[in-house]
Amino acid sequence: MADTNRLSAAEAVARLSSGALTAEQLTRDCLDRVEERASVKAWTYLDPDYALAQARAADRAGRPGLLAGLPIGVKDVIDTFDMPTQHGSPIYQGNRPFADAACVALTRMAGGTILGKSVTTEFANRFPGATVNPHNPAHTPGGSSSGSAAGVADFQVPLGFGTQTGGSTIRPAAFCGVVGYKPSFGEFSRVGIKLQCQNLDTLGLICRSLDDIALMRAVLIEMPHRKVERAAAAPCIGLCRTPLWDAADGPTQALIERTAAELSAAGARVTEVEFAAPFRDIHKHHRSIFNYEAAHNYAYEHRERRAQVSAVLLETVLDPGRDLPLAAYIEALETAEAFRAHLDDLFAEVDILLTPSAAGEAPAGYDSTGNPAFNSTWTLAWTPCVTLPEGNGPGGLPLGVQLVGQRFADEALLDAAAWVEAHLN
Amino acid sequence: MPNPESHRLSAVEMAQRIEAGSLTAEAVVQSCLDRIREREPVVRAWAHIAGDEALAAARAASRDSLMKGVPFGIKDIFDTADMPTGYGSPIYTGCRPSFQASAATLPRAAGGVLLGKTVTTEFANRHPGPTANPHNPGFTPGGSSSGSAAAVADFMVPLAIGTQTGGSVIRPAAYCGVVGFKPSFNMFAPAGMHSNTETLDTIGIMARSVADIALFRAAIMAIPYEPPAVPDRPPRLALTRTPHWDKATPDGKAALEEAAGRLRAAGAEIVESELPNSCTHVSEVQNRHSYFEAPRNHAPERYRHEAQLSLALRHGRIEGGQKLTLDEFRTAWREAETMRAAAQNWAGGFDAILTLPAPGQAPKTLASTGDAIFNGLWTLLHMPCLTIPAGTGPDGLPVGVQLVGKRHADARLLDIGLWVESRLEAR
């Protein structure tokens, strides 16, 4: 079969496991696509011979494990013992860690292979890498997991790791028209992922099918593979415009409202959900925690390698974070805890929330990877999030809708997302 | 000017004398290095000593900085770009990361001189390193921050950094007779600390006085330094025996009762009070977090180096963690949040909680680092903890008491600690 690179991860694994497809063939198809579409610039390190060698080794071993020789992309803030890990920064040019990150080792233990390292913005932050949006190269792919989103959207790899501290998995997935997933905080190990904010950093997945998320969850948590339930009852959906609704452009606002109406018509109960008054500026507390923790966790780069840090990171994050008083940080931590309890209360009434994935379609140009306003609140909330592609914006680039589940109800979120996906036009 | 015994000064005294010009940072570092040369064959506190580099850094240290060239040690669970980083595991022997942990960078930026890496148990877990208790080398120094506690106790260095996931700062500090401080969770930036259990790992510090803890805390947090101040009135303390009182040894129990008596005599209000009922199985919840995370966090070593993991780790936390279900982990997480809220509410009724830092004096063995049963609960509750020496046990080894504060009221706990320290010292 030609073009196996277009299979979802779960579809590819089914064929790999049954013997209908070899890991070498799948990897070759991915590599051919990478070569053909080099202009997307999704990869910061990719050695085709080494990728094929891993695939052939998987074939020789009989393609064992849940992943059976599936190649995946690894965002370049995630350590790999056999490939450079450069964090999108000149400070780490050629850096070769001694050990894999936990998520990489777990992938290999499940029979997966690593196709290459995907482009990240500098330290999973704002200063962009080289990647372009595969739907229109004049537009950003979003960030910071730029390469994983673009590579998956462009059929160069079935699945990529991202990370999210503000909006770095959900937003680029939406901008590139693919599925993105941020799990409940605490479920995926972060060992070997460059630490930015201990209270926010979350390993995420970018792929083309909800089934792929369920598969990778089993790999990363080392639990039995629980597949998405596609015959679930219609969920109760909370339409959550969030206090930042005005930041969304007209087409995005219309998309969310139209989606709510369609899902209601399809049988879902849809109610409006609002944050209580103390949490209307919760995104500001996210910003305080982000800046404070990043400034202290990047102390080495900030204080000893400052000349090699981008001006935008220094001016918008590291210097303000260094100068933020401890009391403001603690206030933000305690407000975040109260906000999480508030969301638990809201979820007593609904199964999932429906909210924008981003403020609009991917902006033109590469200076900015877009506005994380519709993501950072949920990162702070530690809730699981999924973005599903839905339609296009006025510039012809993809739009997405974001579904948010209750903390530690990731399986229920995936089931509800499957219902939503089946009932979208 | 040269003071051959300057390694015995407190960090605050060192800084004051360096600032006044009566002592140089280089002389302090040289005195510490001399002490290490003399005692290291017995104590074995260090995984790596960077003597020449430390002397050079001391000569370059600014007298305008907070730490003025005062030396410190850091547990070998932290990444250092200019020193090997071994995590107490043969897998990582000789590794040289490209990154420097924030816990090393920030004190250096504040004028501290990093003397070297102190011995940790394997991955800050249970399998011990070679360190002995400096008070009697037949006894454990405790762990996992074994080298940091022993080095500070033995006057090799005035300040050292450790980590606590169960009881790895407070217990070794108590066993070695020094002051140990575990801040509220996440107050010290964790970048570059090798993870044991992400939901529990807490960076802590050790010194020989509460005042030194306050100085070092300011350096590691990069916050303005304010010396601790004795409170206006004697504190109201909860005397808390915890659900594990039957695990305490007679000497441990006696030390706590005696300390409570002396503090009461000094004017403190001592109220017997236990954690709320919702917290009775707090230690089990703490354990469940560590066990669940262990196999996932150690996946890199399991995949490529399994034979070099200790049997204790493989057959303990890793295999134990593989038996837990996701629901058990999620329930533990939710229970932990409920317990934290209840404990915070309860702790608000007191200036601090007075409790045991360990079951008693250090056990007479180097094969085990002792029992963390009196620590894991407070680590899970994310509350700040301070251990202060309070005399000696039956074999002449130190025993301590532990003070626990409300979460995020760390500076207040040091103020209370200063008062308690002064009353326990005055015999």
Side-chain angles (χ1 to χ4, degrees):
Chain A
M1 176 190 163
D3 291 343
T4 61
N5 55 301
R6 290 182 180 265
L7 297 172
S8 73
E11 288 167 344
V13 162
R15 294 183 194 200
L16 290 164
S17 297
S18 74
L21 176 64
T22 64
E24 181 173 0
Q25 182 62 49
L26 173 59
T27 302
R28 274 192 196 284
D29 286 347
C30 290
L31 291 170
D32 288 349
R33 180 71 180 176
V34 170
E35 190 181 355
E36 177 194 332
R37 295 278 294 167
S39 60
V40 175
K41 297 179 189 157
W43 303 93
T44 186
Y45 180 88
L46 196 157
D47 175 350
D49 292 338
Y50 186 61
L52 284 169
Q54 292 176 69
R56 283 193 288 262
D59 286 329
R60 278 196 305 276
R63 293 184 295 277
L66 277 175
L67 296 179
L70 184 84
I72 70 157
V74 175
K75 183 179 181 180
D76 202 25
V77 291
I78 300 174
D79 283 351
T80 41
F81 84 88
D82 52 357
M83 298 178 191
T85 301
Q86 306 183 103
H87 308 302
S89 162
I91 297 170
Y92 293 94
Q93 193 166 20
N95 172 50
R96 185 75 68 131
F98 176 80
D100 276 341
C103 60
V104 172
L106 289 163
T107 296
R108 298 191 209 254
M109 288 161 84
T113 71
I114 308 305
L115 191 70
K117 303 300 287 284
S118 61
V119 169
T120 175
T121 61
E122 179 198 32
F123 299 124
N125 223 287
R126 296 183 186 194
F127 189 76
T131 311
V132 303
N133 195 305
H135 297 278
N136 181 337
H139 290 247
T140 177
S144 63
S145 309
S146 319
S148 284
V152 169
D154 202 44
F155 303 103
Q156 298 180 14
V157 69
L159 186 143
F161 284 136
T163 61
Q164 178 155 319
T165 307
S168 287
T169 294
I170 298 294
R171 184 170 87 266
F175 282 179
C176 292
V178 292
V179 177
Y181 167 65
K182 178 187 83 67
S184 294
F185 185 83
E187 294 206 342
F188 289 176
S189 172
R190 300 183 296 185
V191 167
I193 301 175
K194 177 82 171 151
L195 179 61
Q196 176 156 247
C197 299
Q198 62 267 30
N199 273 297
L200 301 171
D201 292 354
T202 313
L203 174 65
L205 303 175
I206 298 173
C207 50
R208 297 188 296 263
S209 161
L210 291 168
D211 296 321
D212 299 358
I213 298 170
L215 174 68
M216 264 330 264
R217 276 186 58 81
V219 169
L220 295 174
I221 309 180
E222 291 196 285
M223 288 289 165
H225 180 192
R226 183 220 180 261
K227 295 184 177 174
V228 177
E229 171 58 69
R230 288 187 180 274
C236 183
I237 299 172
L239 168 59
C240 185
R241 293 185 170 84
T242 82
L244 297 172
W245 183 246
D246 290 345
D249 64 16
T252 292
Q253 292 185 352
L255 170 77
I256 295 301
E257 287 171 348
R258 191 174 69 241
T259 301
E262 286 175 9
L263 296 175
S264 176
R269 192 162 71 80
V270 178
T271 58
E272 300 244 358
V273 165
E274 274 187 36
F275 299 161
F279 307 113
R280 303 238 164 95
D281 60 352
I282 191 68
H283 57 285
K284 291 181 184 164
H285 293 291
H286 172 274
R287 180 44 52 188
S288 294
I289 292 171
F290 189 117
N291 286 355
Y292 188 93
E293 292 186 352
H296 290 81
N297 285 320
Y298 291 137
Y300 171 64
E301 294 87 354
H302 190 201
R303 312 225 176 199
E304 298 194 12
R305 310 296 292 270
R306 187 179 175 96
Q308 290 170 282
V309 177
S310 72
V312 65
L313 184 57
L314 290 172
E315 288 163 14
T316 63
V317 176
L318 299 185
D319 290 345
R322 176 197 59 202
D323 298 337
L324 190 76
L326 175 60
Y329 171 59
I330 288 175
E331 183 195 349
L333 292 180
E334 293 181 350
T335 307
E337 273 182 35
F339 177 58
R340 287 175 203 126
H342 174 58
L343 286 180
D344 282 338
D345 292 343
L346 292 183
F347 275 105
E349 309 294 323
V350 298
D351 298 315
I352 56 169
L353 302 177
L354 168 68
T355 193
S357 299
E361 66 184 344
Y366 315 116
D367 291 346
S368 158
T369 58
N371 181 353
F374 290 99
N375 312 112
S376 55
T377 297
W378 309 113
T379 312
L380 185 71
W382 296 352
T383 47
C385 302
V386 165
T387 179
L388 296 174
E390 190 191 358
N392 293 293
L397 283 108
L399 292 176
V401 295
Q402 182 171 207
L403 305 173
V404 178
Q406 183 168 18
R407 200 148 52 99
F408 297 130
D410 296 54
E411 296 86 348
L413 171 65
L414 296 181
D415 295 349
W419 188 93
V420 169
E421 188 182 56
H423 292 88
L424 289 176
N425 288 328
Chain B
M1 186 106 147
N3 179 349
E5 291 292 300
S6 63
H7 59 269
R8 290 187 177 267
L9 297 172
S10 75
V12 168
E13 286 167 333
M14 288 175 184
Q16 285 170 346
R17 292 191 196 188
I18 293 166
E19 183 171 31
S22 63
L23 186 64
T24 66
E26 184 183 7
V28 169
V29 169
Q30 187 59 60
S31 180
C32 289
L33 290 171
D34 291 346
R35 176 72 179 176
I36 291 170
R37 190 176 309 116
E38 177 195 340
R39 291 280 296 165
E40 179 63 5
V42 174
V43 180
R44 302 183 72 183
W46 298 87
H48 179 80
I49 301 159
D52 291 341
E53 297 89 337
L55 287 167
R59 284 189 289 271
S62 167
R63 276 206 256 167
D64 295 329
S65 65
L66 175 62
M67 289 184 66
K68 305 179 202 307
V70 171
F72 69 101
I74 194 166
K75 183 179 183 178
D76 197 26
I77 202 74
F78 289 93
D79 287 346
T80 42
D82 55 354
M83 297 178 196
T85 301
Y87 308 145
S89 163
I91 297 166
Y92 290 87
T93 300
C95 272
R96 188 73 69 125
S98 55
F99 178 66
Q100 176 175 267
S102 297
T105 303
L106 290 168
R108 281 178 150 179
V113 169
L114 181 54
L115 208 52
K117 308 291 288 284
T118 58
V119 168
T120 175
T121 62
E122 180 197 31
F123 299 118
N125 228 292
R126 291 179 190 180
H127 187 68
T131 310
N133 194 306
H135 297 277
N136 184 332
F139 291 69
T140 179
S144 63
S145 309
S146 319
S148 285
V152 170
D154 204 48
F155 302 100
M156 293 169 160
V157 70
L159 305 167
I161 297 171
T163 59
Q164 175 157 322
T165 305
S168 289
V169 169
I170 297 296
R171 182 170 91 267
Y175 283 173
C176 292
V178 298
V179 179
F181 173 62
K182 180 196 80 68
S184 299
F185 185 62
N186 273 333
M187 286 294 106
F188 295 175
M193 167 186 62
H194 192 73
S195 290
N196 177 328
T197 309
E198 295 189 61
T199 43
L200 300 170
D201 295 342
T202 312
I203 300 168
I205 48 182
M206 302 177 191
R208 295 188 294 267
S209 72
V210 173
D212 283 7
I213 293 285
L215 175 76
F216 202 28
R217 172 178 177 261
I220 202 169
M221 293 183 77
I223 54 173
Y225 169 56
E226 287 176 36
V230 171
D232 301 337
R233 53 170 180 81
R236 173 178 156 86
L237 302 175
L239 175 60
T240 302
R241 296 188 172 84
T242 82
H244 311 301
W245 186 244
D246 61 337
K247 298 275 175 59
T249 62
D251 62 287
K253 290 178 180 173
L256 183 65
E257 304 285 3
E258 199 224 22
R262 288 168 63 195
L263 297 175
R264 187 184 286 117
E269 182 187 353
I270 307 280
V271 184
E272 303 219 3
S273 182
E274 294 300 318
L275 277 161
N277 284 338
S278 55
C279 297
T280 45
H281 61 302
V282 55
S283 294
E284 185 210 318
V285 170
Q286 186 268 344
N287 245 320
R288 232 186 296 158
H289 277 88
S290 272
Y291 274 77
F292 185 85
E293 288 197 26
R296 286 96 194 163
N297 290 347
H298 288 298
E301 293 83 22
R302 285 168 53 208
Y303 178 58
R304 292 179 62 219
H305 312 278
E306 185 158 39
Q308 287 174 280
L309 290 171
S310 73
L311 294 177
L313 184 56
R314 280 157 69 187
H315 298 320
R317 293 220 166 117
I318 289 177
E319 286 178 9
Q322 287 169 327
K323 294 186 185 119
L324 288 174
T325 66
L326 182 57
D327 270 352
E328 285 172 309
F329 172 68
R330 288 169 166 172
T331 304
W333 189 296
R334 290 284 192 186
E335 285 179 313
E337 290 180 346
T338 304
M339 290 174 176
R340 278 173 207 134
Q344 185 78 342
N345 191 41
W346 166 73
F350 311 98
D351 290 313
I353 289 122
L354 176 68
T355 188
L356 285 171
Q361 69 168 28
K364 187 174 183 178
T365 175
L366 294 185
S368 153
T369 60
D371 191 346
I373 191 71
F374 289 100
N375 310 112
L377 68 168
W378 308 113
T379 312
L380 181 94
L381 293 171
H382 291 175
M383 298 164 86
C385 301
L386 183 70
T387 182
I388 294 173
T392 53
D395 296 300
L397 279 100
V399 291
V401 295
Q402 178 172 210
L403 296 171
V404 180
K406 275 185 77 173
R407 193 157 55 105
H408 296 156
D410 297 35
R412 171 78 179 154
L413 179 66
L414 296 185
D415 290 346
I416 304 296
L418 194 65
W419 186 91
V420 169
E421 176 185 54
S422 67
R423 297 311 186 273
L424 293 181
E425 272 172 356
R427 291 207 93 118

